[in-house]
């Protein structure tokens, strides 16, 4: 039986999603990790720590993606695109869970700064959603493009022997490219270059701090 969600149902749902995003190992993927049965070549201690730093950045990126979609979900109308938005958000949960699982394998941990980045991204998503759907979708497009660039850089930068992380990042890159395309096709505004520079500056702050903390 379906009933209309009350305001308190929605609040509980939001809170549940926040916890699933921020509590390590709480996110449940809908697709198995692309790492599958792939075996790593040998990784020395330095390489393992470097790979964990990169995967920590990717994990935080996915925390931000969750927050962005949730913030938008709260304020955007998205009459025609809500289903696709929810589908994309589900794929981001997969990414979150895969990165988390890989961090465990690498003997790493998620970032202490995640609550901070979650709050900032949630606020930006809610703001964009309140302004209008075209801006909101444009924001998804610009963010996903940014994430795609990160993933390319990380794929270059991963230790050669780290084949399991590579499998995960390659599938993520494919999904993010799809999200970026979809957001434009759904009517998203193309962000002007200065806004994109601003976003890439912010993402530099994020990557530098999260690699270590
Ligand atoms: Fe993602
Ligand atoms: Fe994405």
């Amino acid at each position: 039986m379906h009933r209309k969600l009350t305001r308190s149902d929605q609040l509980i749902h939001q809170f549940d999603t926040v916890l699933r995003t921020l509590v390590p190992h709480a996110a449940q993927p809908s697709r198995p990790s692309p790492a599958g049965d792939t075996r790593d070549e040998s990784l020395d201690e330095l390489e393992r720590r470097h790979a964990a730093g990169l995967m920590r950045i990717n994990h935080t990126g996915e925390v931000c993606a969750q927050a962005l979609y949730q913030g938008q979900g709260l304020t955007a109308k998205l009459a025609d695109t809500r289903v696709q938005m929810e589908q994309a958000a589900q794929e981001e949960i997969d990414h979150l869970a895969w990165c988390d699982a890989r961090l465990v394998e690498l003997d790493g941990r998620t970032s202490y700064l995640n609550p901070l980045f979650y709050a900032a991204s949630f606020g930006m998503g809610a703001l964009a959603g309140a302004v209008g759907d075209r801006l909101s979708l444009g924001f998804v497009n610009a963010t996903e493009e940014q994430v795609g660039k990160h993933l390319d850089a990380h794929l270059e930068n991963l230790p050669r022997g780290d084949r399991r992380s590579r499998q995960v990042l390659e599938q993520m890159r494919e999904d993010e490219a799809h999200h970026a395309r979809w957001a434009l096709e759904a009517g998203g505004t193309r962000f002007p270059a200065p806004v994109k520079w601003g976003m890439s500056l912010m993402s530099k702050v994020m990557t530098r701090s999260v690699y270590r903390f």
Side-chain angles (χ1 to χ4, degrees), residues 5-184:
L5 290 181
T6 63
R7 191 167 267 279
S8 59
D9 288 335
Q10 282 172 351
L11 261 178
I12 292 169
H13 176 68
Q14 284 286 340
F15 188 61
D16 181 64
T17 321
V18 176
L19 287 181
R20 277 176 204 276
T21 309
L22 290 179
V23 174
H25 324 317
Q28 292 299 322
S30 63
R31 295 170 289 171
S33 170
D37 300 328
T38 306
R39 281 166 174 258
D40 289 325
E41 287 162 32
S42 69
L43 290 171
D44 65 30
E45 179 57 16
L46 221 63
E47 288 176 324
R48 183 196 62 73
R49 277 173 40 195
H50 178 55
L54 295 182
M55 291 311 279
R56 183 158 47 248
I57 293 171
N58 290 313
H59 179 268
T60 299
E62 297 302 328
V63 167
C64 292
Q66 276 306 304
L68 175 68
Y69 282 113
Q70 282 159 29
Q72 287 177 339
L74 208 64
T75 54
K77 294 185 194 71
L78 298 169
D80 305 323
T81 53
R82 189 169 287 276
V83 174
Q84 279 164 299
M85 196 74 131
E86 279 165 8
Q87 156 99 35
Q90 176 58 51
E91 289 180 5
E92 307 297 2
I93 293 179
D94 293 347
H95 300 170
L96 185 81
W98 297 341
C99 289
D100 188 338
R102 184 56 187 151
L103 273 168
V104 172
E105 290 175 4
L106 288 166
D107 214 8
R109 56 161 177 82
T110 55
S111 172
Y112 301 131
L113 304 172
N114 282 345
L116 207 77
F117 287 113
Y118 183 95
S121 304
F122 187 94
M124 284 194 283
L127 200 71
V131 174
D133 286 0
R134 290 195 59 211
L135 185 86
S136 192
L137 289 163
F139 195 36
V140 170
N141 171 261
T143 309
E144 298 285 3
E145 275 184 2
Q146 185 85 60
V147 175
K149 281 184 196 156
H150 266 290
L151 290 171
D152 284 339
H154 285 191
L155 280 163
E156 288 262 313
N157 226 317
L158 267 180
R160 256 176 54 90
D162 187 351
R163 297 173 58 199
R164 291 180 63 76
S165 299
R166 189 169 298 277
Q167 299 279 84
V168 170
L169 297 190
E170 276 171 357
Q171 181 60 52
M172 280 168 58
R173 184 171 60 174
E174 201 173 296
D175 292 346
E176 312 300 16
H178 181 232
H179 299 159
R181 255 197 326 275
W182 153 71
L184 263 197

